[in-house]
Amino acid sequence: MPSKKSARLAALTVAAVCSAASTVVLTSPAHADSVRIHDIQGSTRISPYAGKQVADVAGIVTGIRTYGKSKGFWIQDPQADDNPATSEGVFVFTGSTPQGVAVGDSVLVSGTVSEYVPGGTSSGNQSVTQLTKPTITVVSSGNAVPAATVIDAKSVPAAYTPAGDSGANGSVNGLTLKPSAYALDLYESLEGMNVQVADARVVTASNRFTELWVTVKPWEHRNRRGGTVYGSYDSQNTGRLKIQSLGAVADFPVANVGDTLTGTTSGPLDYNEFGGYTLVASELGTLKSGGLKRETTRKQWSGELAVATYNVENLDPSDNSFAEHASAIVNNLKSPDILSLEEIQDNNGTTDDGTVAADQTVRKLIDAIVAAGGPTYDWRSIDPVDKTDGGQPGGNIRNVFLFNPERVTFTDRAGGDATTATAVTKKYGRAALTVSPGRIDPANEAWEDSRKPLVGEFVFRGKTVFVIANHFASKGGDQALHSQYQPPSRSSETQRHLQAKSVNAFVKDILAVQKSADVVALGDINDFEFSGTTELLEDGGALWSAIKSLPRSERYSYVYQGNAQTLDQILVSPSIRRWCDFEYDSVHINSEFNDQISDHDPQVLRFRP
């Protein structure tokens, strides 16, 4: 009868994972005679030998990494134990390009067992068990590499991770691995081992770091364009797996979402800072195109107002993407009447010399739109105080309104500047802004080192529409889905919650004066349509996120680590939701493609005020 681990090896595929570099923490040295790799790995995430010296650890070299900060090689013991929780592979950290070893060598390694945390301990990431300061003896060469363990839809559990130990701040490090119950436990039980996936669909396009994500679960929250949709905090999509390569950069596939790596992709399974468990491929499948095309929304009818939001990702006059952005606005978005732009940088980009004006950036985009066959947009914005609105240092990103003066007019009321708060007043029985364009509550702590909302009054066919352009605080500092802390901390949402409350209160001020007012709050909210941030924006029925009018599989504007998710939203007041015959479109032109000009997809709302 085969052992339990033999049965597992028959059912799984061994994959290679690339590891990121960080701090190695050593404890007082000790000595242990001739232990096996599965003894070192143990049945939890932390080695029972951490900080100790080990001698003559046997294994076959399965992969060699010669690039990055974490140079070294993987070894795997071909004589597995019968415990499915213990990995048979481990990374040997050499610090420089490994010399004198080759794939297929049978080696004995002596060194110190360490737990290396990619990104550092403050990141909350899991650790990688390594052998450091190694002494290596090559016993023989030309040996067969241990067969790859197959990772597929049958082997990966539906549950993502157990809850962390409340006595250890929610860490899962001390919990015994249950690879048949939890996906992260399965991947951890294969750390350092040779693994493989077959005919895997791409769910995040390849990028400049020569990495992409695939899914081994073809039907897990699949959308019609080949992505995997992240629809709640409890549906992390367990089939996602990052792919890197041990080969030449030039040989890495240039892939879009919906493409497939056909055949076998195999190599050691690693864990790194950006993406967690990673198959570091010594063998890459052949790329088969899924034929994904960029979407085009329809043109608004004469009686419809088209309002859109588009994060143009740190656009400044030195960029070479103006023509492409203009083409997207004219051809894919069909020249919306009002366009809220996020991440417009000042006139000299990241040059940090006190420049805050962005008129050259905006004018260059408007001219490019005209050249692409679009309208001659007018624009409104408010320059920030230097270095107070976050983003790239020196760039002074801000929100900008473009509007087509042949279709809408802008109601200007003087007095708006970086530090003056606009308010709501009553004119002729209807709501009006005290300054337009204006900023919402810029002195509020919610907006510290973050973009202040830009609000303006527009008139379309005699009807006033209030538009609020937003770019909320980023998710920087949040723990990853694959964190050792489960559930992971989302510390960044504290500021977004304050921002949502501020915008919601302002909208309530408008509706208190004019219950039937048409209000649109849109932009890069940096949070999901199911998030607490969105709930706070919607509080009291003041707003409603119109992306929720789409089927769940269509709700995304951004693709991150294999998850298609919503960050960009357009929210509407009750009058638009109930009476204005609206239509919403998330126009997928960037997030799924390797040659994207922004990492965000624009959103369009059409309605009849």
Side-chain angles (χ1 to χ4, degrees):
M1 175 180 293
S3 68
K4 292 181 180 178
K5 180 161 282 189
S6 297
R8 178 178 72 128
L9 293 177
L12 301 177
T13 304
V14 183
V17 177
C18 168
S19 107
S22 194
T23 306
V24 173
V25 180
L26 301 179
T27 61
S28 57
H31 184 75
D33 292 326
S34 194
V35 298
R36 308 301 289 261
I37 292 174
H38 48 249
D39 299 323
I40 293 170
Q41 287 285 8
S43 58
T44 70
R45 285 172 167 79
I46 303 298
S47 170
Y49 287 88
K52 297 180 180 180
Q53 302 290 324
V54 292
D56 297 333
V57 179
I60 305 294
V61 177
T62 60
I64 299 173
R65 183 160 56 208
T66 60
Y67 60 85
K69 297 179 181 178
S70 190
K71 297 180 177 69
F73 59 93
W74 289 269
I75 59 174
Q76 183 169 332
D77 192 336
Q79 299 179 21
D81 67 4
D82 62 356
N83 185 350
T86 57
S87 171
E88 302 297 338
V90 72
F91 185 69
V92 180
F93 175 73
T94 57
S96 58
T97 300
Q99 304 293 325
V101 294
V103 172
D105 284 353
S106 175
V107 297
L108 298 174
V109 180
S110 300
T112 302
V113 178
S114 71
E115 292 291 342
Y116 162 70
V117 182
T121 55
S122 64
S123 70
N125 285 333
Q126 299 185 47
S127 61
V128 179
T129 303
Q130 299 182 339
L131 297 179
T132 62
K133 301 179 180 179
T135 300
I136 304 154
T137 301
V138 177
V139 178
S140 64
S141 299
N143 299 282
V145 172
T149 299
V150 174
I151 298 177
D152 60 14
K154 293 181 179 179
S155 64
V156 179
Y160 190 64
T161 178
D165 181 357
S166 60
N169 295 319
S171 174
V172 297
N173 278 351
L175 303 181
T176 299
L177 298 175
K178 297 180 179 180
S180 64
Y182 302 107
L184 288 188
D185 283 11
L186 170 68
Y187 295 137
E188 177 64 21
S189 75
L190 299 173
E191 179 192 278
M193 291 177 61
N194 188 30
V195 301
Q196 76 174 43
V197 299
D199 298 329
R201 192 178 78 249
V202 176
V203 291
T204 293
S206 54
N207 59 28
R208 62 189 175 91
F209 303 108
T210 58
E211 60 191 22
L212 55 80
W213 270 257
V214 300
T215 180
V216 300
K217 292 187 171 183
W219 301 107
E220 184 178 48
H221 300 125
R222 178 173 180 160
N223 64 38
R224 63 184 174 84
R225 294 173 61 81
T228 299
V229 177
Y230 181 58
S232 76
Y233 290 123
D234 297 321
S235 60
Q236 298 96 330
N237 294 316
T238 61
R240 296 175 298 116
L241 189 63
K242 183 178 175 180
I243 306 292
Q244 289 186 326
S245 176
L246 291 173
V249 170
D251 296 332
F252 196 78
V254 179
N256 295 326
V257 168
D259 292 350
T260 301
L261 286 180
T262 62
T264 298
T265 297
S266 65
L269 189 66
D270 195 14
Y271 178 93
N272 71 29
E273 177 181 359
F274 302 106
Y277 293 100
T278 304
L279 193 161
V280 187
S282 54
E283 176 187 16
L284 275 167
T286 301
L287 186 69
K288 179 182 178 182
S289 174
L292 192 69
K293 303 297 183 185
R294 286 176 163 84
E295 288 188 332
T296 297
T297 197
R298 71 166 176 84
K299 181 72 175 175
Q300 65 272 25
W301 298 322
S302 61
E304 290 180 314
L305 179 67
V307 182
T309 176
Y310 187 17
N311 184 321
V312 291
E313 196 176 3
N314 295 314
L315 190 66
D316 77 79
S318 68
D319 292 339
N320 60 7
S321 59
F322 281 88
E324 292 174 283
H325 282 302
S327 177
I329 291 167
V330 174
N331 299 311
N332 299 91
L333 303 187
K334 298 300 182 183
S335 301
D337 302 312
I338 302 170
L339 180 57
S340 168
L341 299 173
E342 297 86 53
E343 295 197 18
I344 290 287
Q345 290 195 344
D346 63 34
N347 289 335
N348 58 13
T350 55
T351 300
D352 191 3
D353 62 358
T355 298
V356 293
D359 56 301
Q360 296 173 26
T361 309
V362 178
R363 177 52 57 190
K364 190 171 181 178
L365 179 58
I366 291 172
D367 290 345
I369 291 170
V370 172
T376 303
Y377 281 104
D378 202 346
W379 66 286
R380 296 291 187 275
S381 186
I382 292 177
D383 294 335
V385 174
D386 188 33
K387 291 191 281 289
T388 61
D389 281 19
Q392 290 183 335
N396 290 310
I397 56 174
R398 83 287 312 277
N399 306 316
V400 172
F401 289 132
L402 298 188
F403 62 95
N404 182 354
E406 295 183 0
R407 295 266 298 163
V408 297
T409 58
F410 189 88
T411 303
D412 286 295
R413 293 197 179 93
D417 60 27
T419 58
T420 298
T422 191
V424 180
T425 187
K426 181 181 287 188
K427 287 184 180 291
Y428 310 110
R430 295 183 177 274
L433 302 177
T434 56
V435 296
S436 175
R439 287 181 141 198
I440 295 176
D441 203 9
N444 189 321
E445 64 174 344
W447 309 111
E448 183 178 356
D449 198 34
S450 185
R451 282 67 54 194
K452 286 69 175 172
L454 177 71
V455 58
E457 268 185 57
F458 294 85
V459 177
F460 176 73
R461 293 194 158 196
K463 184 71 178 289
T464 295
V465 179
F466 298 92
V467 182
I468 304 170
N470 302 277
H471 185 186
F472 282 11
S474 78
K475 290 183 173 292
D478 286 2
Q479 292 171 351
L481 291 181
H482 52 76
S483 168
Q484 67 160 293
Y485 299 104
Q486 294 294 333
S489 168
R490 301 187 297 270
S491 59
S492 71
E493 69 183 11
T494 299
Q495 184 172 12
R496 287 193 300 280
H497 286 181
L498 294 174
Q499 293 174 340
K501 289 178 180 178
S502 176
V503 172
N504 175 267
F506 188 83
V507 174
K508 286 177 178 174
D509 288 345
I510 295 175
L511 298 180
V513 174
Q514 183 186 344
K515 185 177 181 180
S516 62
D518 289 342
V519 184
V520 178
L522 75 175
D524 179 359
I525 303 302
N526 262 320
D527 225 335
F528 316 120
E529 81 279 12
F530 54 80
S531 67
T533 301
T534 301
E535 290 177 357
L536 289 167
L537 279 167
E538 295 177 326
D539 181 68
L543 292 168
W544 180 71
S545 181
I547 199 170
K548 292 190 287 189
S549 66
L550 299 178
R552 290 183 183 275
S553 62
E554 299 290 325
R555 300 176 192 174
Y556 63 97
S557 67
Y558 192 85
V559 180
Y560 182 69
Q561 296 186 358
N563 278 330
Q565 55 196 246
T566 295
L567 293 184
D568 307 85
Q569 301 187 49
I570 301 178
L571 298 97
V572 297
S573 61
S575 63
I576 298 175
R577 181 183 181 187
R578 295 171 185 165
W579 310 116
C580 288
D581 191 23
F582 72 86
E583 183 179 29
Y584 192 97
D585 196 359
S586 183
V587 188
H588 305 303
I589 62 172
N590 287 316
S591 67
E592 301 162 316
F593 297 91
N594 67 80
D595 58 346
Q596 56 190 223
I597 54 174
S598 168
D599 47 358
H600 293 253
D601 288 330
Q603 313 292 292
V604 178
L605 179 79
R606 292 178 290 268
F607 66 101
R608 295 178 180 272

